[in-house]
Amino acid sequence: MNRTTAQFTRLAILLLATAVACKSADKTSNASTDQARADSAHKAAGVTTGSAQPQPELSAEAKVALDSGNVLYRSGSDLDRKKASADAKRAYAAALTQYRLAAERSPKHAAPFFGIYMTARALGNIVLADSALAGIRERGGELPPGAMHSGEPAPAPAAANAPAKAPSKGL
């Protein structure tokens, strides 16, 4: 091994040792810094954190009803995509029944109200959707982005591979 190769080898080992030391120093950083990084990453992704109240436990009966409602909702959504609207409405109505049962079994939890909200939107029932949003707010749940009448703008659909528009001149 010549002298230049030995110097590059030492330099590589020094850089590797420095990288390992920095990585282990990051692991031992305090929890508040890690939490701040996670919060900023969540904000960048559009997820809100920290402001919601902790949710009480769902009862076993409420979990079963909520799971059943979710299965029925997905079934209705699949039927909607297949243009079977009458069958989709029946699936959504059954899902709504399950979500309401879950809300009765765990009245202080926001999760069943999210199901009611989604189903009401799928059925086009704005009054019920607004009522469900009020239930979510009362229970300290985070509002869905672009929620109807929540004051938030609806998320803009992302057009894949869409050409950028040239800025217009004037107003």
Side-chain angles (χ1 to χ4, degrees), residues 95-124:
L96 186 58
T97 301
Q98 291 299 311
Y99 289 134
R100 285 180 170 161
L101 179 64
E104 287 175 15
R105 300 293 187 246
S106 288
K108 294 183 180 182
H109 204 285
F113 291 89
F114 279 104
I116 293 169
Y117 171 78
M118 293 185 313
T119 307
R121 288 208 42 185
L123 291 170

Short mmCIF file of all heavy atoms in Angstrom, two decimals, residues 95-124:
data_model
loop_
_atom_site.label_atom_id
_atom_site.label_comp_id
_atom_site.label_asym_id
_atom_site.label_seq_id
_atom_site.Cartn_x
_atom_site.Cartn_y
_atom_site.Cartn_z
N ALA A 95 -74.20 1.07 7.55
CA ALA A 95 -73.01 1.60 8.22
C ALA A 95 -73.40 2.68 9.20
O ALA A 95 -72.89 2.73 10.34
CB ALA A 95 -72.03 2.14 7.19
N LEU A 96 -74.31 3.56 8.79
CA LEU A 96 -74.76 4.64 9.67
C LEU A 96 -75.40 4.09 10.94
O LEU A 96 -75.15 4.60 12.04
CB LEU A 96 -75.74 5.54 8.92
CG LEU A 96 -76.20 6.81 9.62
CD1 LEU A 96 -75.01 7.69 9.99
CD2 LEU A 96 -77.15 7.57 8.72
N THR A 97 -76.18 3.02 10.81
CA THR A 97 -76.78 2.37 11.98
C THR A 97 -75.70 1.88 12.93
O THR A 97 -75.81 2.07 14.16
CB THR A 97 -77.68 1.19 11.53
OG1 THR A 97 -78.69 1.70 10.66
CG2 THR A 97 -78.31 0.51 12.72
N GLN A 98 -74.65 1.27 12.39
CA GLN A 98 -73.57 0.75 13.24
C GLN A 98 -72.79 1.89 13.90
O GLN A 98 -72.43 1.80 15.08
CB GLN A 98 -72.62 -0.12 12.41
CG GLN A 98 -73.24 -1.42 11.96
CD GLN A 98 -73.65 -2.29 13.14
OE1 GLN A 98 -72.89 -2.52 14.07
NE2 GLN A 98 -74.89 -2.77 13.09
N TYR A 99 -72.53 2.96 13.15
CA TYR A 99 -71.82 4.10 13.74
C TYR A 99 -72.64 4.75 14.86
O TYR A 99 -72.10 5.15 15.89
CB TYR A 99 -71.48 5.15 12.68
CG TYR A 99 -70.40 4.73 11.70
CD1 TYR A 99 -70.56 4.93 10.35
CD2 TYR A 99 -69.22 4.14 12.14
CE1 TYR A 99 -69.56 4.56 9.44
CE2 TYR A 99 -68.23 3.76 11.25
CZ TYR A 99 -68.40 3.97 9.91
OH TYR A 99 -67.43 3.61 9.03
N ARG A 100 -73.94 4.84 14.67
CA ARG A 100 -74.80 5.40 15.72
C ARG A 100 -74.81 4.50 16.95
O ARG A 100 -74.81 5.00 18.09
CB ARG A 100 -76.22 5.61 15.19
CG ARG A 100 -76.31 6.82 14.27
CD ARG A 100 -77.70 7.02 13.75
NE ARG A 100 -77.81 8.30 13.07
CZ ARG A 100 -78.76 8.60 12.22
NH1 ARG A 100 -79.70 7.72 11.93
NH2 ARG A 100 -78.79 9.78 11.65
N LEU A 101 -74.80 3.19 16.73
CA LEU A 101 -74.73 2.24 17.85
C LEU A 101 -73.41 2.43 18.61
O LEU A 101 -73.39 2.45 19.84
CB LEU A 101 -74.87 0.80 17.35
CG LEU A 101 -74.79 -0.29 18.39
CD1 LEU A 101 -75.96 -0.20 19.37
CD2 LEU A 101 -74.80 -1.66 17.73
N ALA A 102 -72.32 2.59 17.87
CA ALA A 102 -71.02 2.82 18.50
C ALA A 102 -71.03 4.12 19.30
O ALA A 102 -70.46 4.19 20.39
CB ALA A 102 -69.92 2.85 17.44
N ALA A 103 -71.69 5.15 18.77
CA ALA A 103 -71.77 6.44 19.48
C ALA A 103 -72.59 6.29 20.76
O ALA A 103 -72.27 6.93 21.77
CB ALA A 103 -72.38 7.50 18.57
N GLU A 104 -73.60 5.45 20.74
CA GLU A 104 -74.39 5.21 21.95
C GLU A 104 -73.58 4.46 23.00
O GLU A 104 -73.69 4.73 24.19
CB GLU A 104 -75.64 4.39 21.62
CG GLU A 104 -76.71 5.13 20.90
CD GLU A 104 -77.87 4.22 20.50
OE1 GLU A 104 -77.98 3.09 21.04
OE2 GLU A 104 -78.67 4.64 19.65
N ARG A 105 -72.77 3.51 22.56
CA ARG A 105 -71.99 2.67 23.48
C ARG A 105 -70.79 3.41 24.08
O ARG A 105 -70.36 3.10 25.17
CB ARG A 105 -71.51 1.40 22.78
CG ARG A 105 -72.62 0.52 22.25
CD ARG A 105 -73.43 -0.07 23.39
NE ARG A 105 -74.39 -1.04 22.89
CZ ARG A 105 -75.70 -0.89 22.95
NH1 ARG A 105 -76.21 0.19 23.49
NH2 ARG A 105 -76.50 -1.81 22.49
N SER A 106 -70.22 4.35 23.34
CA SER A 106 -69.10 5.16 23.83
C SER A 106 -69.37 6.62 23.48
O SER A 106 -68.78 7.18 22.55
CB SER A 106 -67.78 4.71 23.22
OG SER A 106 -67.37 3.49 23.76
N PRO A 107 -70.26 7.26 24.24
CA PRO A 107 -70.71 8.61 23.87
C PRO A 107 -69.63 9.69 23.99
O PRO A 107 -69.79 10.76 23.41
CB PRO A 107 -71.86 8.87 24.83
CG PRO A 107 -71.66 7.94 25.97
CD PRO A 107 -70.94 6.75 25.43
N LYS A 108 -68.55 9.44 24.70
CA LYS A 108 -67.52 10.46 24.88
C LYS A 108 -66.38 10.34 23.87
O LYS A 108 -65.46 11.14 23.90
CB LYS A 108 -66.97 10.42 26.30
CG LYS A 108 -68.01 10.81 27.33
CD LYS A 108 -67.44 10.83 28.71
CE LYS A 108 -68.53 11.22 29.70
NZ LYS A 108 -68.02 11.31 31.05
N HIS A 109 -66.43 9.35 22.99
CA HIS A 109 -65.37 9.12 22.02
C HIS A 109 -65.75 9.73 20.67
O HIS A 109 -66.90 9.65 20.24
CB HIS A 109 -65.10 7.63 21.86
CG HIS A 109 -63.73 7.34 21.36
ND1 HIS A 109 -63.37 7.53 20.05
CD2 HIS A 109 -62.63 6.88 21.99
CE1 HIS A 109 -62.11 7.19 19.90
NE2 HIS A 109 -61.63 6.80 21.06
N ALA A 110 -64.80 10.34 19.98
CA ALA A 110 -65.08 11.01 18.70
C ALA A 110 -65.11 10.07 17.51
O ALA A 110 -65.70 10.40 16.48
CB ALA A 110 -64.02 12.10 18.46
N ALA A 111 -64.50 8.89 17.61
CA ALA A 111 -64.38 7.99 16.46
C ALA A 111 -65.73 7.64 15.81
O ALA A 111 -65.83 7.70 14.57
CB ALA A 111 -63.64 6.72 16.85
N PRO A 112 -66.77 7.29 16.55
CA PRO A 112 -68.04 6.99 15.88
C PRO A 112 -68.60 8.18 15.10
O PRO A 112 -69.23 8.02 14.06
CB PRO A 112 -68.97 6.61 17.03
CG PRO A 112 -68.09 6.18 18.13
CD PRO A 112 -66.85 7.01 17.98
N PHE A 113 -68.31 9.39 15.58
CA PHE A 113 -68.81 10.58 14.91
C PHE A 113 -68.07 10.83 13.59
O PHE A 113 -68.63 11.41 12.66
CB PHE A 113 -68.74 11.79 15.84
CG PHE A 113 -69.73 11.69 16.96
CD1 PHE A 113 -69.40 11.07 18.15
CD2 PHE A 113 -71.01 12.17 16.80
CE1 PHE A 113 -70.32 10.94 19.17
CE2 PHE A 113 -71.95 12.05 17.82
CZ PHE A 113 -71.60 11.42 19.00
N PHE A 114 -66.83 10.38 13.50
CA PHE A 114 -66.14 10.43 12.22
C PHE A 114 -66.83 9.52 11.21
O PHE A 114 -66.99 9.87 10.05
CB PHE A 114 -64.66 10.03 12.36
CG PHE A 114 -63.78 11.14 12.85
CD1 PHE A 114 -63.34 11.15 14.16
CD2 PHE A 114 -63.40 12.17 12.01
CE1 PHE A 114 -62.54 12.17 14.62
CE2 PHE A 114 -62.59 13.19 12.46
CZ PHE A 114 -62.16 13.19 13.78
N GLY A 115 -67.24 8.34 11.67
CA GLY A 115 -67.97 7.43 10.80
C GLY A 115 -69.30 8.02 10.36
O GLY A 115 -69.68 7.93 9.18
N ILE A 116 -70.00 8.63 11.30
CA ILE A 116 -71.28 9.28 10.96
C ILE A 116 -71.03 10.39 9.95
O ILE A 116 -71.76 10.53 8.96
CB ILE A 116 -71.97 9.82 12.23
CG1 ILE A 116 -72.41 8.64 13.12
CG2 ILE A 116 -73.15 10.71 11.88
CD1 ILE A 116 -72.86 9.05 14.51
N TYR A 117 -69.97 11.17 10.16
CA TYR A 117 -69.63 12.26 9.25
C TYR A 117 -69.35 11.73 7.84
O TYR A 117 -69.89 12.24 6.85
CB TYR A 117 -68.42 13.03 9.79
CG TYR A 117 -67.86 14.02 8.81
CD1 TYR A 117 -68.49 15.24 8.61
CD2 TYR A 117 -66.73 13.73 8.08
CE1 TYR A 117 -68.00 16.16 7.69
CE2 TYR A 117 -66.23 14.64 7.16
CZ TYR A 117 -66.87 15.84 6.97
OH TYR A 117 -66.37 16.74 6.06
N MET A 118 -68.50 10.70 7.73
CA MET A 118 -68.16 10.15 6.41
C MET A 118 -69.40 9.62 5.70
O MET A 118 -69.58 9.86 4.50
CB MET A 118 -67.15 9.00 6.56
CG MET A 118 -65.80 9.39 7.04
SD MET A 118 -64.60 8.02 7.06
CE MET A 118 -65.50 6.70 7.85
N THR A 119 -70.23 8.90 6.44
CA THR A 119 -71.43 8.32 5.85
C THR A 119 -72.41 9.40 5.42
O THR A 119 -73.01 9.31 4.35
CB THR A 119 -72.08 7.34 6.84
OG1 THR A 119 -71.09 6.40 7.27
CG2 THR A 119 -73.21 6.58 6.20
N ALA A 120 -72.56 10.42 6.24
CA ALA A 120 -73.47 11.52 5.89
C ALA A 120 -72.99 12.21 4.61
O ALA A 120 -73.81 12.56 3.75
CB ALA A 120 -73.55 12.52 7.03
N ARG A 121 -71.70 12.40 4.47
CA ARG A 121 -71.17 13.00 3.24
C ARG A 121 -71.42 12.09 2.05
O ARG A 121 -71.77 12.55 0.97
CB ARG A 121 -69.68 13.28 3.38
CG ARG A 121 -69.46 14.45 4.31
CD ARG A 121 -68.25 15.24 4.10
NE ARG A 121 -67.90 15.52 2.72
CZ ARG A 121 -66.79 16.13 2.39
NH1 ARG A 121 -65.95 16.52 3.32
NH2 ARG A 121 -66.51 16.37 1.14
N ALA A 122 -71.25 10.78 2.24
CA ALA A 122 -71.48 9.84 1.14
C ALA A 122 -72.94 9.85 0.71
O ALA A 122 -73.25 9.69 -0.46
CB ALA A 122 -71.05 8.44 1.55
N LEU A 123 -73.83 10.05 1.68
CA LEU A 123 -75.26 10.07 1.38
C LEU A 123 -75.74 11.45 0.94
O LEU A 123 -76.90 11.62 0.55
CB LEU A 123 -76.06 9.61 2.60
CG LEU A 123 -75.92 8.13 2.96
CD1 LEU A 123 -76.56 7.84 4.30
CD2 LEU A 123 -76.54 7.26 1.87
N GLY A 124 -74.89 12.46 1.06
CA GLY A 124 -75.26 13.82 0.68
C GLY A 124 -76.11 14.52 1.72
O GLY A 124 -76.78 15.50 1.42
#
